[in-house]
Amino acid sequence: MKKKLLSVLLAGVMVVSLAACGGGDSGSGSDSGSGSESTAESDESSGGGSEGGHKLTVWTWDPAFNIPAIKEAGEIYKAEVDPDFELEVIETLSDDCETKLQTCAESGDFGTMADIILMQDNSYQKFVSFYPEAFTDLTDSGIDFSEFAEGKLAYSTVEGKNYGVPFDNGAVISCYRTDILDEAGYTIDDLTDIDWDKFIEIGKAVKEKTGKYMLSGQANSQDIIMMMLQSAGASLFNEDGTPNLVGNDALNECIDIYQEMVKEGIFYEVNEWDEYVSSITNEQCAGTINGNWIMATIMGMEDTSGNWAITNMPKLMKTEGATNYSNNGGSSWYISSNCQNTDLAFDFMAKTFAGSVTLYENILPPTGAISTWGPAGDSEAYQAPQEFWSDQPIFATVVDFAEKTPSNNTSAYYYDVREVVSTAIQDIMSGGGEKDAVLEQAQADAEFYYQ
């Protein structure tokens, strides 16, 4: 029953998951989304775990981000550990990784799967729940998972077992134009370690004095609500993964804050990803709050170099466990059950993505991939000031933010329920019903997926 239901729901996951990691169509190298500009390899070259020896195969996407990162890991392992090592990287779209995995699982034949597969963090929860037999348990692999940020690691931990090696950092950052803040009489310090009430107060002053919104976001994809929730360790789900929408005090607080920001004219609602990007690049907004991969988009505005700074996000006022740290987007590496040489795969991961400062230093300049592996944050490359960002050591800062991000409950139906909630919030904002009534209907809609 559940496996048949997954076939119906998969298409929805693939569409919604684009926005969660940077908007899908942005094509940004720092976006760990579906890599829409990449092209999958032909079926003849897209399968097969390697049979022992010194070779591993990988499915991943994005020739500007994930692919150069894993290739650099292969080069480092070859140079430092095994001179006979060979890594075959097969460019495969995120959606295609998921489709091929599903096809293999439903046929009961995993023989065409690569040894290592990159998957988006929230998408993975669905697949490991339905098809745990497709993945290798890494708990006793020798990898030191304690060195990864807890909030990131939670995405690949299922029933206390580790199934993935975290890759790119999705820690949330608040990015602000320092020149616009200065015009309104504020500095980046005024927006550091604050709550949402203070943020709204500053936002109203900035709007009055400069005419700029403080933030923008897609009304049909509530990234901001999801980031607010995780910042307090809260979510849309109970501990057992069932939907928790009615009587969810944290969700109610987040919706109230969102409504107030829109009402006060400091949050600009848009419909599409391109409109969101334009609201930043056309200087309609004084800043943005998103996963740190948004920095690649901002840095495309070369003429604004030196006029940007980052800090942490505002925190909730009423919800227990509130912090100024959250996550939005990211992916992790998984070893498939088809891997014929798990000892090699374990060692490769342990000595690269879970053990090499050099790797993270080398991939930082060409890809902008920031680690969630703690030791990388202490390196010189991560500590170096960045001229574009007002000489802040932004890479080390992002690692620090990730380490402070609380984990929260997730579900195999994360994207399905997220879409239900996004629709409900649009109904509330448009006057389609009172909040409590709309959330009651949303709860019923979400529970459909669990039947």
Side-chain angles (χ1 to χ4, degrees), residues 66 120 137 210 214 228 259 263 274 308 323 336 368 397 427:
N66 305 315
Q120 294 185 66
D137 181 357
T210 71
M214 279 296 284
M228 287 180 183
Q259 284 183 292
K263 177 184 175 183
D274 288 346
W308 286 91
T323 75
S336 80
T397 300
D427 289 343

Side-chain angles (χ1 to χ4, degrees), residues 78-127:
K78 183 181 181 73
E80 298 182 358
V81 182
D82 181 0
D84 296 320
F85 181 68
E86 181 182 352
L87 188 71
E88 181 183 2
V89 180
I90 302 161
E91 184 178 345
T92 312
L93 297 178
S94 174
D95 289 356
D96 290 340
C97 287
E98 296 176 4
T99 300
K100 289 176 181 180
L101 191 156
Q102 180 195 8
T103 300
C104 290
E106 292 191 337
S107 70
D109 181 4
F110 298 99
T112 58
M113 289 176 62
D115 297 311
I116 298 170
I117 301 170
L118 186 70
M119 294 192 71
Q120 294 185 66
D121 289 330
N122 276 306
S123 294
Y124 176 72
Q125 288 288 324
K126 172 165 288 190
F127 286 89

Side-chain angles (χ1 to χ4, degrees), residues 208-396:
E208 179 182 353
K209 295 176 182 178
T210 71
K212 309 287 187 184
Y213 296 93
M214 279 296 284
L215 301 175
S216 57
Q218 289 176 259
N220 59 350
S221 180
Q222 285 294 333
D223 279 355
I224 192 68
I225 298 292
M226 301 302 113
M227 290 184 279
M228 287 180 183
L229 284 170
Q230 184 163 358
S231 71
S235 81
L236 304 176
F237 304 98
N238 297 305
E239 287 188 12
D240 62 358
T242 55
N244 176 29
L245 309 183
V246 174
N248 185 329
D249 293 337
L251 177 59
N252 275 281
E253 182 178 3
C254 294
I255 294 174
D256 289 344
I257 292 168
Y258 182 77
Q259 284 183 292
E260 185 174 1
M261 287 195 295
V262 174
K263 177 184 175 183
E264 295 293 346
I266 65 173
F267 189 99
Y268 178 39
E269 290 188 299
V270 299
N271 296 313
E272 304 293 339
W273 171 259
D274 288 346
E275 292 179 77
Y276 166 65
V277 171
S278 294
S279 69
I280 301 170
T281 58
N282 292 339
E283 303 185 4
Q284 291 173 277
C285 299
T288 190
I289 297 177
N290 219 322
N292 66 83
W293 39 258
I294 198 63
M295 290 192 296
T297 296
I298 294 172
M299 291 177 71
M301 304 164 61
E302 296 179 3
D303 60 331
T304 64
S305 178
N307 286 332
W308 286 91
I310 72 168
T311 189
N312 51 20
M313 70 178 290
K315 67 179 180 181
L316 300 177
M317 292 79 67
K318 302 175 183 178
T319 302
E320 184 179 355
T323 75
N324 295 95
Y325 308 97
S326 191
N327 187 82
N328 190 33
S331 54
S332 299
W333 303 104
Y334 298 91
I335 297 173
S336 80
S337 60
N338 186 47
C339 181
Q340 303 301 304
N341 193 343
T342 54
D343 287 343
L344 178 63
F346 292 167
D347 195 58
F348 170 66
M349 282 293 168
K351 292 175 180 173
T352 55
F353 291 99
S356 175
V357 171
T358 301
L359 169 63
Y360 287 108
E361 288 184 326
N362 289 357
I363 66 176
L364 189 60
T367 70
I370 304 175
S371 172
T372 55
W373 183 63
D378 297 326
S379 72
E380 289 186 13
Y382 274 67
Q383 294 291 336
Q386 303 298 314
E387 181 180 359
F388 188 96
W389 299 94
S390 303
D391 289 326
Q392 292 178 295
I394 59 168
F395 301 122

Side-chain angles (χ1 to χ4, degrees), residues 16 18 96 130 139 158 162 166 190 215 228 283 359 376-377 408 446:
V16 179
L18 298 178
D96 290 340
F130 284 99
T139 308
V158 181
N162 296 107
D190 294 315
L215 301 175
M228 287 180 183
E283 303 185 4
L359 169 63
N408 64 357

Side-chain angles (χ1 to χ4, degrees), residues 245-246 439-449 451:
L245 309 183
V246 174
L439 288 178
E440 285 181 7
Q441 182 58 55
Q443 177 80 24
D445 293 341
E447 288 175 351
F448 164 79
Y449 295 104
Q451 296 175 4

